[in-house]
Amino acid sequence: MIIIQNYINGQFQNPLNDEWLDNYNPSNGEVYGRIPNSTGEDVDVAFKAARTAFPNWSEKNIEERSRILIKISELLEAKVAHFAEAESKDNGKPINLAKAVDIPRAASNFRFFGNAITQFASESHENVGQQALNYTLRQPIGVVGCISPWNLPLYLFTWKIAPALAAGNCVVAKPSEITPLTAYLLGEICNEAGLPKGVLNIVHGLGTITGQAIVEHPNIKAISFTGGTATGAHIARTAAPLFKKLSLELGGKNPNIIFADCDYEDMLTTTVRSSFANQGQICLCGSRIFVENSIYEKFKRDFVAKVQQLIVGHPSNTSTNIGALVSKSHLEKVVGYIDQAKVENHTILCGGKKVTVKNYENGYYLEPTVIEVKSNECSLNQEEIFGPVVTIMPFHSEKEVLEMANSVKYGLSATLWTNNLKRTMRICNQLQTGIVWVNTWMLRDLRTPFGGMKDSGVGREGGFEALRFFTESKNICIKY
Ligand code: TXE
């Protein structure tokens, strides 16, 4: 049994009410740990520690802040195997994925923002006619709140914390109650790296209690949130009258548009990955596949054949492609969409059933599922499923596919496969998404703006966008 504690003021602590929640291992459905069921009182203690730490941290030499963040990155890199094992156990993702992607990326987040802050410049404007100089300061906000989800636990947790700290803020953070383990382990690394106590505080608990208390706290002045769109809307409503800065990275229903002139084999291999990586539980997964009519039947055959080769298995097995879904309730939600497909007479081309993995019969496993839908209007094409389920349908013209791609409430990312440059430019200009990948998927560069349009969120993360979010600008005008 792993006992996870809050990390407040550099120390591991029980919740003040001594109430705890069970933490499940999705690969076998068993409880393997417990986490604090923290309340607003714990959040307030964390806030006070952060507020006390703020003057020293914000006034620290930038090189010194940068050095500590890079040290955290190095310590994480040295413990990739340990963290990957924890992440895989907590989330159900294949160990190979956690080792190759999640934990290295968490380390990169600290390294990247540790370096980025040393390059973060602000503007100045001289008005010679009026003999005035304007310059803009970018000052840390104070104590900020970071709330992250369960799909890429440490990866997204650190994607918020690293820029917040780099910019000189102190943080009260809450990882998802479903996947708290690697955030817990991070506390020790922060101490080892010499992060002063109180600069980062990690409070565990339910979204509706602990998360809500962070959002409602009158003196936590900015909230960076990644999670579901409904939760994002609730947070926006709560934060608005308190005039908090908000960054919301929410759900997606991303189109994957495939033209006949693409590099077919590359497209096929990448499309399997963009559909099912992390059991399809990535907000960037291409969940609606649109294929040009002339290659539709061939694609259907080849894609289904490749998907059927994916191995569903225990996350710790290195040959596993598809691990366990994150929770029982999430598995049931995803299965609900497959049932809906049957009711609406869509065609399930492969998958569709829960999988029983030998010796782990109570784990949350599901076959990778491909569904041929009749139209883009069905709920399977309009709502975020967030599991190993993709839909496919043919299109006949550029105009038709653009209309379908854009006619959802979400606008996070899109993928386009074509070798026609003019078409690429036309479509990229018209797609209503914050991110477009052409002839690739999930090729990330941490300097680029990251986030969505429409119901996929507000604001952008990444690069200097994140540092701008976590700072207040102050313009100073001097008459000389
Ligand atoms: O996320 P929640 P859920 C989508 C996906 C999924 C759906 C719901 O479709 O099926 O959202 O997932 C905290 N105040 N995504 O319910 O609740 C919560 O504790 C403050 C897309 O698991 O949004 C957790 O730390 N915080 C997504 C975090 O919010 C609150 C990734 C996210 O949980 C809160 C995950 C409140 N009132 C799910 N209520 C993506 N964009 O990548 C909850 N939380």
Side-chain angles (χ1 to χ4, degrees), residues 148 150 174 177 207 211-212 225 227-228 231 234 250 283 333 384:
S148 59
W150 44 259
K174 191 194 92 62
E177 60 274 32
Q212 182 76 20
F225 169 80
T231 312
H234 173 79
L250 311 174
C283 54
K333 175 189 155 182
E384 187 178 47

Side-chain angles (χ1 to χ4, degrees), residues 4-8 12 21 23 35-38 43 46 87 90 145-161 171-187 200-212 214 224-227 326:
I4 285 171
Q5 292 176 294
N6 290 331
Y7 172 72
I8 298 177
F12 292 95
L21 303 163
N23 188 24
I35 73 162
N37 186 4
S38 307
V43 168
E87 199 74 299
D90 207 17
C146 298
I147 300 175
S148 59
W150 44 259
N151 58 331
L152 306 169
L154 195 66
Y155 176 136
L156 291 177
F157 192 63
T158 55
W159 181 232
K160 299 180 179 307
I161 287 168
V171 175
V172 176
K174 191 194 92 62
S176 168
E177 60 274 32
I178 304 173
T179 53
L181 185 52
T182 47
Y184 168 64
L185 298 175
L186 182 68
L200 171 65
N201 304 277
I202 304 172
V203 188
H204 296 272
L206 296 170
T208 47
I209 300 176
T210 320
Q212 182 76 20
I214 294 174
S224 176
F225 169 80
T226 298
V326 75

Side-chain angles (χ1 to χ4, degrees), residues 6-72:
N6 290 331
Y7 172 72
I8 298 177
N9 209 23
Q11 286 167 344
F12 292 95
Q13 309 183 1
N14 290 347
L16 292 169
N17 59 8
D18 202 27
E19 282 184 20
W20 302 83
L21 303 163
D22 287 337
N23 188 24
Y24 288 84
N25 178 340
S27 75
N28 58 18
E30 288 168 12
V31 173
Y32 82 93
R34 46 180 218 173
I35 73 162
N37 186 4
S38 307
T39 66
E41 286 181 21
D42 300 285
V43 168
D44 199 48
V45 173
F47 164 75
K48 286 181 176 134
R51 186 182 55 189
T52 307
F54 179 69
N56 260 333
W57 181 246
S58 57
E59 285 164 24
K60 227 182 224 333
N61 204 319
I62 278 200
E63 275 78 34
E64 178 64 3
R65 277 209 308 260
S66 163
R67 195 189 60 71
I68 292 173
L69 294 186
I70 291 170
K71 183 75 188 163
I72 296 174

Side-chain angles (χ1 to χ4, degrees), residues 136-341:
T136 309
L137 293 177
R138 281 273 168 190
Q139 297 181 314
I141 296 169
V143 180
V144 301
C146 298
I147 300 175
S148 59
W150 44 259
N151 58 331
L152 306 169
L154 195 66
Y155 176 136
L156 291 177
F157 192 63
T158 55
W159 181 232
K160 299 180 179 307
I161 287 168
L165 296 178
N169 301 284
C170 291
V171 175
V172 176
K174 191 194 92 62
S176 168
E177 60 274 32
I178 304 173
T179 53
L181 185 52
T182 47
Y184 168 64
L185 298 175
L186 182 68
E188 222 157 89
I189 282 200
C190 290
N191 285 349
E192 212 182 315
L195 188 74
K197 59 183 190 180
V199 170
L200 171 65
N201 304 277
I202 304 172
V203 188
H204 296 272
L206 296 170
T208 47
I209 300 176
T210 320
Q212 182 76 20
I214 294 174
V215 177
E216 283 177 351
H217 197 290
N219 295 314
I220 296 179
K221 285 296 182 193
I223 303 289
S224 176
F225 169 80
T226 298
T229 291
T231 312
H234 173 79
I235 288 176
R237 278 192 298 272
T238 311
L242 299 166
F243 303 105
K244 299 194 181 201
K245 263 186 127 174
L246 266 191
S247 166
L248 302 174
E249 204 275 280
L250 311 174
K253 192 68 196 173
N254 312 312
N256 181 1
I257 303 169
I258 299 168
F259 281 89
D261 70 349
C262 69
D263 293 337
Y264 189 81
E265 288 306 320
D266 190 12
M267 173 279 293
L268 198 60
T269 313
T270 308
T271 296
V272 172
R273 200 164 57 83
S274 67
S275 305
F276 298 110
N278 204 40
Q279 296 72 248
Q281 301 167 135
I282 304 180
C283 54
L284 305 165
C285 279
S287 59
R288 296 180 293 152
I289 305 177
F290 298 111
V291 186
E292 193 166 14
N293 195 42
S294 60
I295 58 162
Y296 183 70
E297 290 303 325
K298 175 176 166 52
F299 172 82
K300 199 161 100 175
R301 253 190 338 266
D302 295 345
F303 183 60
V304 166
K306 262 195 182 305
V307 173
Q308 283 173 327
Q309 287 167 15
L310 294 174
I311 299 168
V312 180
H314 192 270
S316 68
N317 191 333
T318 50
S319 59
T320 291
N321 303 117
I322 311 263
L325 272 70
V326 75
S327 68
K328 194 168 170 47
S329 64
H330 189 60
L331 172 69
E332 295 309 333
K333 175 189 155 182
V334 176
V335 168
Y337 279 102
I338 297 172
D339 293 342
Q340 178 80 8

